[in-house]
Amino acid sequence: KVMTVAGHDGEGDCVCDQDTHGICKAVKKGCPVVGHSKEVLGVAVSPDGTTVASAGDDWSVCLWDVASGKLKCRVRHQSEWEDDDAPVKPPHFNSARSVNFSPNGKLVVSASWDKNILIADAETGKVKLTLRGHNGRDGCICDCFPSGGLATKETKPGCPVVGHANYVFDAAFSPDGLHIVSASWDKTLLLWSAEEETVKFRLKGHSAGVYAVVYSPNGKLIASASADKTVRIWKSSTTISKEQVEASEQSRLHPSRAPLYTLMGHTAP
């Protein structure tokens, strides 16, 4: 059985208001069209095979029932939980690039060009945690470009935001569900707690933006793919040595770690 779900396009049966970029400002209650209003960039299937999650260039993340092909819910912030009849606004404010399920299927994590990473309930779509990036919003006090997509001009000391300074392309749960690793155009990977907005390690070694990241099945290794034509392999351990703690305190930066291996791509002679 093959099913296709139509997206919002402001035409046909769609009754939603769209901006000049073709993005639905908010999905109106009762609109017969339930899909995305721009390109779908990421998709994942839940571990039990009952739910599909999709991430779109319309800044939204959708959760679908596999058996019926119907939309279960959209990912949304806490401010919209109380009014089920209100139009659902996109949870990100730039392109949502990827989405992945937690190992137990109860959560989804989405990565966006707004530099934020969202962790949401896979049944209700309610955002449970935001891993914030430097974007001039969400408490960030840094000198940032207003679009939220370009690199942060300057990261100020004392900024409460601990995340990425450029587009986030991918994020994935560890096999035990306790951590999240994210890949960004700022050339780094961040290893986060999945339960609070805490960065455990900053993985540095790529010389260009990082497009994708994945854990090994046993959770001991992380592999990343980059525009620098390399694949890099990293230790995923969150154990911090005394030397790393001292270096972190001295630099006022998160503990960092270099890759174990680098799988090189072709280079010009």
Side-chain angles (χ1 to χ4, degrees), residues 37 58 98 162 236:
S37 62
D58 59 359
S98 76
V162 296
S236 65

Side-chain angles (χ1 to χ4, degrees), residues 179 191-193 196 198-202 238 240 254-256:
H179 298 95
L191 188 55
W192 304 78
S193 165
E196 59 184 6
T198 302
V199 172
K200 300 292 187 179
F201 271 99
R202 186 178 297 271
T238 57
I240 303 175
H254 306 297
S256 62

Side-chain angles (χ1 to χ4, degrees), residues 43-48 50-54 62-64 72 99-109 122-123 171-174:
V43 66
V45 180
S46 63
D48 64 5
T50 63
T51 305
V52 166
S54 57
C62 296
L63 293 160
W64 308 86
K72 293 174 62 175
V99 62
N100 286 294
F101 281 89
S102 61
N104 63 11
K106 293 183 178 181
L107 300 172
V108 291
V109 59
E123 189 65 30
F173 279 95
S174 60

Side-chain angles (χ1 to χ4, degrees), residues 98-170:
S98 76
V99 62
N100 286 294
F101 281 89
S102 61
N104 63 11
K106 293 183 178 181
L107 300 172
V108 291
V109 59
S110 59
S112 170
W113 276 12
D114 65 7
K115 308 176 188 176
N116 287 344
I117 299 156
L118 302 181
I119 301 173
D121 188 293
E123 189 65 30
T124 65
K126 295 177 180 180
V127 174
K128 302 176 74 69
L129 182 63
T130 300
L131 307 179
R132 298 171 295 165
H134 293 279
N135 52 35
R137 309 186 190 201
D138 304 314
C140 178
I141 62 173
C142 300
D143 188 10
C144 300
F145 289 94
S147 70
L150 299 173
T152 298
K153 298 177 185 178
E154 181 183 2
T155 302
K156 292 183 179 179
C159 179
V161 175
V162 296
H164 289 290
N166 210 324
Y167 302 129
V168 185
F169 277 90
D170 199 10

Side-chain angles (χ1 to χ4, degrees), residues 169-264:
F169 277 90
D170 199 10
F173 279 95
S174 60
D176 62 8
L178 298 179
H179 298 95
I180 285 172
V181 65
S182 55
S184 171
W185 200 246
D186 65 9
K187 307 177 187 178
T188 71
L189 308 172
L190 292 183
L191 188 55
W192 304 78
S193 165
E195 299 177 345
E196 59 184 6
E197 192 181 11
T198 302
V199 172
K200 300 292 187 179
F201 271 99
R202 186 178 297 271
L203 308 182
K204 299 171 65 176
H206 283 293
S207 59
V210 189
Y211 285 122
V213 64
V214 65
Y215 273 92
S216 62
N218 64 10
K220 294 182 178 181
L221 298 175
I222 293 168
S224 57
S226 168
D228 65 9
K229 305 178 185 178
T230 70
V231 173
R232 298 183 191 245
I233 312 297
W234 317 75
K235 281 185 177 181
S236 65
S237 171
T238 57
T239 303
I240 303 175
S241 68
K242 179 180 179 181
E243 292 76 13
Q244 287 172 320
V245 171
E246 292 174 349
S248 174
E249 292 175 347
Q250 186 174 3
S251 65
R252 295 185 180 181
L253 297 174
H254 306 297
S256 62
R257 177 183 293 150
L260 283 174
Y261 309 105
T262 299
L263 311 180
M264 299 296 295

Side-chain angles (χ1 to χ4, degrees), residues 25-40:
K25 298 175 183 177
V27 177
K28 290 183 178 179
K29 185 74 173 180
C31 180
V33 179
V34 295
H36 290 278
S37 62
K38 293 197 74 176
E39 294 95 332
V40 181

